[in-house]
């Protein structure tokens, strides 16, 4: 076989000899040539060769070709190495060979050893000046078709020849672009003053022709050029995508700063972009210059972003203080955001003042209208207009989702509406609007964890723990959770463990939650997790770690006039905590508060009835029919687990067998059929039974206890368990209750089996829960209790 390379450089006579050889029966020929040559002799040779087969077009290597090349030249390469090699070389074979020869270990960081770049720089310096100018121009971002200081603008044919020659020489990709490896080598070997002059020439050419600088502006800024025209162009481009693609805006603002933009001028916008991209700490750092700027628009924007950051940290008071500092006269278009923060910390007067000073909604865009409706909905929920609050907030959530914007808010519209819906006993409404918000990606990246956790909370309340766990896990994996979100997630774990009778899991979740609660404050929009922690603290006899937050929650509600739509869940939690802590005297005020809110709150009315039912059960002598009505009414307001617990506990204490059977059937019925997932306009409901989780929940424990006409532990086993928790051994226990040590051992063995304890520590943990006397435990509360 005869191999001929660079046939385009041969003389016509030599090409003719090759053509005659191709037409003969002589040796096989392999001829390499540049396809763009227009010489007649070369075309005749190519035609002769084509009679024997189609030509093979040589071009950049793909990933498969790179893998094969790496396998031939050394050790096997990882996918990360191959991707880095493709990025650096563009797949140009000669560059691939250079890198593989130098990087025999196939190291990923860096893929290209420094020796390769230095060698390429030396070789590029030996190229003819026109080719050097072409590579520099294209590396900087010049459009070859438009010419410029480095290219012959008045001779397009000459530019074409330069590009063709460079492409044929492997210096450019087929599309005429410079690969990163060669671009870096060009900049390394070109004097800096020449690079800067060429960069300014490019900016001048683009400005004179009226073309946008954005396409090449980022490259110029990253290359070190500072030019006000480039900075202005990049800032405008960032502004354009700030509320839709904040992650892109972050990079554009950074490049604008590199190009010479003023730090204070764009600080607020950069802070908003960092917040929208999920970079809370970076957002705080970026905001610093803007919080004290005399520019009112920059200061207003900075206050809004800071307010969202304070809220995410669980410190809404920080947001409220920021808006108070600005005052109603300067808050402007941020009035509804200021009102949301101020209502959230209980300052109703200041919030109303902010809304009044704004004097109207401003431009009626989807987003601005939604934010105003949020503020109006919260205002209505606190007074006589409470019935219209939830519809207002549901519409606000829908409008904000439709806007598609990522704006700094103290609370996501869907989370706000869902929280109020749960406070109104409208579980399905809460689930539906949260599903719609998640499907529509409401609020972008910053809002998603909170939306998922709110969805998980609704699922937990609907007695679907598997669904709740899945949503909470998705929230955890979506990125680092802010303190407020982390507290909600841990409170959710406490709630699931408490309802699932998971003693060990409850203690683990409680230990984490009681630490996290130290980092966040109470506000109107975070009452649900604090209510859950108040109940769990009472059950574990460790309320001291959350009492200060519970007291703060009641104080906040008192400042707002104890609005039933917000206060009912906390009062219900206090009812349960009073029962668990064996303090019947604390039941009366809570049931009275629920009764007072009954005329304007369906949930308050139902909970007041359920509270009275609990009191009657704990006193003894209750009416089974009344208890059943109260239990079933709890299901109607989205509290199936609570209803099942009430019926199951009453069944365990019923004196009449028919009453016991009736309540037992009610408990099973309520627990076996939790509220189904809600349907939304875009997502019809689908059944999610969570059967495995329901079978082991506390309601099922209560049902099993009632079915046996006794407690989870027998009376004698409870005596033994108490003494075990006191640290007594078998002999000491036997002496106290007049049984033999062997009988004590038998009782302990049965207790271990009943509680499915896997170890001594697990047994002690579960005994503390099993001996609880309230609705979460297996015993009753002795003595009278007034409703």
């Amino acid at each position: 076989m005869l191999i001929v390379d660079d046939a385009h450089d041969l003389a016509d006579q030599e090409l003719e000899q090759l053509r005659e050889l191709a037409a003969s029966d002589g040796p096989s020929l392999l001829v390499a040539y540049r396809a763009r040559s227009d010489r007649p002799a070369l075309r005749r040779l190519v035609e002769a060769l084509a009679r024997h087969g189609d030509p093979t077009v040589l071009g950049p290597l793909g990933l498969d070709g790179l893998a094969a090349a790496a396998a031939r030249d050394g050790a096997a390469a990882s996918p990360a190495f191959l991707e880095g090699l493709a990025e650096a070389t563009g797949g140009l074979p000669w560059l691939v060979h250079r890198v593989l020869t130098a990087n025999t270990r196939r190291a990923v960081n860096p893929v290209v050893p420094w020796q390769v770049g230095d060698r390429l720089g030396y070789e590029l310096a030996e190229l003819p000046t026109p080719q050097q100018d072409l590579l520099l121009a294209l590396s900087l971002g010049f459009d070859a078709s438009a010419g410029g200081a480095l290219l012959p603008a008045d001779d397009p044919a000459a530019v074409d020849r330069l590009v063709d020659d460079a492409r044929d020489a492997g210096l450019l990709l087929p599309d005429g672009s410079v690969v990163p490896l060669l671009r870096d080598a060009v900049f390394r070997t070109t004097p800096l003053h020449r690079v800067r002059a060429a960069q300014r020439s490019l900016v001048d050419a683009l400005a004179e022709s009226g073309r946008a600088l954005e396409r090449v502006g980022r490259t110029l800024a990253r290359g070190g050029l500072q030019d006000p025209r480039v900075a202005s162009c990049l800032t405008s481009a960032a502004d354009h995508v700030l509320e839709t693609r904040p992650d892109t805006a972050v990079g554009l603002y950074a490049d604008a700063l590199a190009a010479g933009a003023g730090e204070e001028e764009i600080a607020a916008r950069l802070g908003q972009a960092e917040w929208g991209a999920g970079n809370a700490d970076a957002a705080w750092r970026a905001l610093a210059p803007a919080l004290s700027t005399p520019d009112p628009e920059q200061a207003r924007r900075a206050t809004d972003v800071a307010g969202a950051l304070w809220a995410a940290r669980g410190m809404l008071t920080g947001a409220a203080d920021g808006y108070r500092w600005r005052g109603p006269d300067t808050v402007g278009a941020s009035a509804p955001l200021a009102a949301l923060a101020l209502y959230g910390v209980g300052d109703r007067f200041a919030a109303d003042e902010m809304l009044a000073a704004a004097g109207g909604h401003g431009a009626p865009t989807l987003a601005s209208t939604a934010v105003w409706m949020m503020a109006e909905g919260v205002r209505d929920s606190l007074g006589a207009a409470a019935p219209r609050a939830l519809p207002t907030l549901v519409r606000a959530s829908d409008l904000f989702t439709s806007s598609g914007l990522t704006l700094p808010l103290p609370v996501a519209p869907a989370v706000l509406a869902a929280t109020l819906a749960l406070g109104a006993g409208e579980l399905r409404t809460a689930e539906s609007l949260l599903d719609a918000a998640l499907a529509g990606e409401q609020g972008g990246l910053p809002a998603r964890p909170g939306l998922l956790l709110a969805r998980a909370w609704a699922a937990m309340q609907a007695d679907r723990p598997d669904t709740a766990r899945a949503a909470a896990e998705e929230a955890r994996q979506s990125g680092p959770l802010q303190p407020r979100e982390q507290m909600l997630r841990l409170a959710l774990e406490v709630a699931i463990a408490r309802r699932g009778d998971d003693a060990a899991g409850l203690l683990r979740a409680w230990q984490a939650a009681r630490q996290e609660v130290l980092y966040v404050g109470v506000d109107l929009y975070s009452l649900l997790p604090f209510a859950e922690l108040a109940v769990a603290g009472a059950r574990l006899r460790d309320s001291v770690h959350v009492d200060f937050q519970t007291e703060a929650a009641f104080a906040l509600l008192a400042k707002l006039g104890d609005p039933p739509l917000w206060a009912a869940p906390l009062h219900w939690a206090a009812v349960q905590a009073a029962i668990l802590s064996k303090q019947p005297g604390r039941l009366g005020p809570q049931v009275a508060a629920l009764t007072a809110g009954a005329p304007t709150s369906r949930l308050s009315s139902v909970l007041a009835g359920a509270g009275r039912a609990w009191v009657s059960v704990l006193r003894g002598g209750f009416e089974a029919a009344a208890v059943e009505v109260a239990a079933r009414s709890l299901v109607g307001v989205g509290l199936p687990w609570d209803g099942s617990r009430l019926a199951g506990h009453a069944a365990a204490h019923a004196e009449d067998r028919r009453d016991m059977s009736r309540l037992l059937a009610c408990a099973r019925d309520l627990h076996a059929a939790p509220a189904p997932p809600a349907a939304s306009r875009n997502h019809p409901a689908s059944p999610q039974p969570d059967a495995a989780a329901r079978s082991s929940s506390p309601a099922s424990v209560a049902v099993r206890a009632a079915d046996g006409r006794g407690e989870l532990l027998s009376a004698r086993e409870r005596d033994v368990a108490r003494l075990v928790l006191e640290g007594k051994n078998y002999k000491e226990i036997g002496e106290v209750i007049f049984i033999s040590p062997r009988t004590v051992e038998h009782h302990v063995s049965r207790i271990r089996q009943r509680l499915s304890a896997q170890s001594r520590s697990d047994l002690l943990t579960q005994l503390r829960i099993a001996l609880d006397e309230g609705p979460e435990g297996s015993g009753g509360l002795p003595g009278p209790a007034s409703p």
Side-chain angles (χ1 to χ4, degrees), residues 62-144:
L63 287 177
D64 290 341
L66 293 175
R72 285 194 302 269
D73 289 357
S78 66
F81 176 84
L82 294 177
E83 290 175 4
L85 182 62
E87 172 66 21
T89 66
L92 293 176
W94 72 282
L95 291 177
V96 170
H97 177 70
R98 290 282 184 91
V99 173
L100 292 177
T101 300
N103 191 347
T104 56
R105 298 179 61 185
R106 306 297 185 253
V108 176
N109 291 314
V111 169
V112 181
W114 61 269
Q115 302 94 323
V116 175
D118 284 352
R119 178 63 185 176
L120 286 174
Y122 173 79
E123 294 177 6
L124 293 178
E126 298 299 315
L127 291 175
T129 299
Q131 284 199 347
Q132 291 187 38
D133 290 343
L134 173 69
L135 290 177
L136 177 58
L138 295 179
S139 296
L140 290 172
F142 276 90
D143 182 353

Side-chain angles (χ1 to χ4, degrees), residues 151-492:
L151 300 174
D154 56 348
D155 190 356
V159 175
D160 289 343
R161 285 193 298 272
L162 279 173
V163 171
D164 288 343
D165 290 344
R167 190 158 42 195
D168 290 338
L171 299 174
L172 301 177
L173 289 172
D175 63 0
S177 60
V178 184
V179 298
L181 180 52
L182 288 180
R183 183 170 60 244
D184 293 344
V186 167
F187 289 143
R188 186 181 295 114
T189 57
T190 304
L192 183 60
H193 72 276
R194 189 160 180 258
V195 172
R196 291 288 181 263
Q199 288 173 328
R200 291 191 176 88
S201 173
L202 173 58
V203 174
D204 292 340
L206 292 173
E208 290 173 5
S209 63
R211 287 179 291 171
L213 287 168
E214 180 185 349
R215 187 178 66 84
V216 298
R218 303 190 72 173
T219 301
L220 293 172
R222 293 172 184 177
L225 177 67
Q226 290 198 338
D227 188 290
R229 295 168 296 180
V230 175
S232 176
C233 173
L234 293 176
T235 300
S236 297
D239 292 345
H240 183 68
V241 298
L242 174 58
E243 296 176 351
T244 54
R245 288 181 287 142
D247 53 337
T248 301
V250 168
L252 287 166
Y253 284 129
D255 291 339
L257 286 171
E263 181 180 4
E264 183 175 318
E265 176 188 352
I266 66 171
R269 286 171 286 177
L270 176 58
Q272 181 176 339
E274 293 282 14
W275 168 85
N279 307 320
D281 291 341
W284 276 118
R285 291 192 293 269
L287 279 180
L291 289 171
S292 57
T293 180
D295 183 339
E297 179 59 26
Q298 293 295 327
R300 183 192 66 77
R301 185 189 297 273
T303 303
D304 289 346
V305 178
L309 289 166
W310 281 121
R313 294 195 66 84
M315 300 173 67
L316 194 59
T317 53
D321 289 342
Y323 286 116
R324 289 193 191 101
W325 182 45
R326 292 295 170 196
D329 295 335
T330 61
V331 73
S334 298
L337 296 180
L340 285 170
L342 292 163
Y343 285 133
V345 299
D347 194 346
R348 186 173 181 177
F349 175 81
D352 290 343
E353 188 179 22
M354 291 286 184
L355 294 179
H361 288 200
T365 64
L366 287 174
S368 65
T369 301
V371 174
W372 267 95
M373 292 179 71
M374 289 171 66
E376 292 169 344
V378 174
R379 179 191 62 194
D380 292 345
S381 72
L382 303 176
R388 70 187 184 200
L390 182 56
T392 299
L393 292 179
V394 170
R395 291 196 296 273
S397 178
D398 184 55
L399 287 176
F400 196 80
T401 301
S402 297
S403 76
L405 300 182
T406 300
L407 297 177
L409 305 176
V411 58
V415 172
L416 176 61
T419 302
L420 192 69
L422 293 176
E426 299 291 344
L427 175 61
R428 292 204 179 186
T429 298
E431 292 183 301
S432 175
L433 64 91
L434 286 168
D435 286 341
L438 285 166
E441 299 182 350
Q442 183 185 98
L445 179 64
R448 186 163 184 80
L451 291 170
L452 286 166
L453 290 169
R455 187 65 183 86
W457 193 275
M460 174 275 296
Q461 191 168 304
D463 203 13
R464 292 196 298 274
D466 285 352
T467 303
R469 290 190 189 95
E473 179 61 18
E474 186 178 350
R476 189 185 67 82
Q477 294 181 356
S478 65
L481 297 180
Q482 294 299 305
R484 180 174 185 164
E485 297 162 346
Q486 179 70 352
M487 194 274 289
L488 179 57
R489 184 185 70 83
L490 293 174
L492 180 67

Side-chain angles (χ1 to χ4, degrees), residues 32-47:
Y33 61 94
R34 295 181 182 177
R36 276 176 288 275
S37 176
D38 57 358
R39 295 173 55 192
L42 181 58
R43 285 202 302 270
R44 288 194 296 270
L45 171 60
V46 171
E47 291 171 358

Side-chain angles (χ1 to χ4, degrees), residues 606 610 613 626-636 639-640 642-648 663 666-667 670:
V606 170
V627 172
E628 181 178 0
V629 169
R632 293 191 181 277
S633 66
L634 286 170
V635 178
L639 297 170
D642 297 71
S644 178
R645 171 60 70 187
L646 172 58
L663 291 169
C666 174
L670 299 184

Side-chain angles (χ1 to χ4, degrees), residues 13-36:
Q13 182 179 358
E14 293 172 314
L15 293 173
E16 184 61 25
Q17 291 175 349
L18 289 175
R19 186 192 66 78
E20 293 174 355
L21 188 59
S24 69
D25 295 331
S28 299
L29 281 177
L30 180 60
V31 180
Y33 61 94
R34 295 181 182 177
R36 276 176 288 275

